[in-house]
Amino acid sequence: MNFITNILNTLGWYPTIFILMLLESTVVPVPSEFVVTPAAYHAASGSLNVFLVILYATLGADIGASINYFVALYVGRPVIYKFANSKWGKMCLLNQEKVEKSEKYFDDHGIAATLTGRFVPVIRHLISIPAGLARMHYGKFLLFTTIGAGGWHSVLAILGWYLHAIVPEDQLNDKISEYAEYIKFIILGLIVLAVIYFIIKKKLNKK
């Protein structure tokens, strides 16, 4: 993951954050943990603005997710699945199973999936595809995507800021991997609780 940090240092942090998060929200497997967290780590030293880190990351995610959304909207499911099973899809670590998983997540959680899905590994960068296939209202899609992506990037930024105080830079990537796993489990737990809450609330309203 030092490769990503080297890119950030060479090309400039803000535009590179934007481009990499745009790619992550399409079908290119760029791990946001190793982009936003190191950027926030450097922001803690005063070399970057942590709010701009979150802003550029979220704008990139919005553009990338919108690309997926409109591609799915206009080309349809057969072409999406054909690409997922193609050589190019495999190069992007994509396959039909992952697309089906994202569709199921969207079907199970409705339009709110475009918000909660931003916190779920694998689902995060593919949830915009079923949103496009379902012809979800683009305004709602963009709003939920912005909230979800902004929330996820804020979590990563807080982690990077915290690690700056306790971890030397040469150990940063190892600590990111360690803490990211804990964060994923915590967030998944919160999502499960939120889903249970909305299901119970919906049933009570019906009664």
Side-chain angles (χ1 to χ4, degrees):
M1 292 307 170
N2 287 327
F3 174 71
I4 293 178
T5 304
N6 290 335
I7 293 176
L8 290 165
N9 285 321
T10 303
L11 300 181
W13 285 82
Y14 297 130
T16 308
I17 289 168
F18 173 84
I19 292 169
L20 291 177
M21 292 302 91
L22 183 156
L23 293 174
E24 191 223 14
S25 285
T26 54
V27 293
V28 181
V30 178
S32 53
E33 297 93 330
F34 292 94
V35 178
V36 179
T37 309
Y41 182 94
H42 286 272
S45 67
S47 57
L48 294 171
N49 184 310
V50 71
F51 296 106
L52 289 180
V53 169
I54 296 170
L55 175 63
Y56 276 88
T58 303
L59 287 174
D62 282 345
I63 300 299
S66 294
I67 291 172
N68 271 7
Y69 172 90
F70 285 112
V71 168
L73 179 68
Y74 289 112
V75 306
R77 185 174 285 101
V79 177
I80 294 293
Y81 278 87
K82 185 176 181 180
F83 174 78
N85 291 318
S86 70
K87 176 179 69 176
W88 295 104
K90 298 293 189 297
M91 288 176 63
C92 295
L93 304 182
L94 190 63
N95 56 48
Q96 183 169 328
E97 182 183 354
K98 289 181 179 179
V99 179
E100 288 175 344
K101 187 176 180 180
S102 67
E103 282 205 82
K104 184 178 186 307
Y105 187 88
F106 185 87
D107 292 340
D108 290 344
H109 299 89
I111 60 175
T114 53
L115 190 161
T116 60
R118 301 300 305 189
F119 295 89
V120 182
V122 179
I123 298 296
R124 182 182 307 126
H125 70 293
L126 296 178
I127 195 62
S128 48
I129 292 176
L133 292 174
R135 298 184 175 274
M136 177 181 176
H137 186 276
Y138 180 68
K140 289 183 179 179
F141 166 78
L142 187 60
L143 175 62
F144 286 8
T145 297
T146 301
I147 296 171
W152 173 240
H153 295 146
S154 296
V155 170
L156 296 180
I158 291 170
L159 174 62
W161 193 279
Y162 166 72
L163 290 177
H164 182 268
I166 63 170
V167 177
E169 189 169 0
D170 60 348
Q171 298 177 19
L172 179 60
N173 288 334
D174 292 334
K175 282 297 179 182
I176 290 173
S177 298
E178 179 183 335
Y179 279 81
E181 290 302 314
Y182 295 132
I183 290 174
K184 286 174 184 176
F185 284 121
I186 292 171
I187 289 176
L188 285 173
L190 292 173
I191 290 173
V192 169
L193 290 175
V195 170
I196 292 173
Y197 168 78
F198 284 115
I199 290 174
I200 293 174
K201 184 179 179 181
K202 188 175 181 180
K203 288 185 176 180
L204 290 174
N205 287 338
K206 284 184 178 180
K207 289 181 179 179

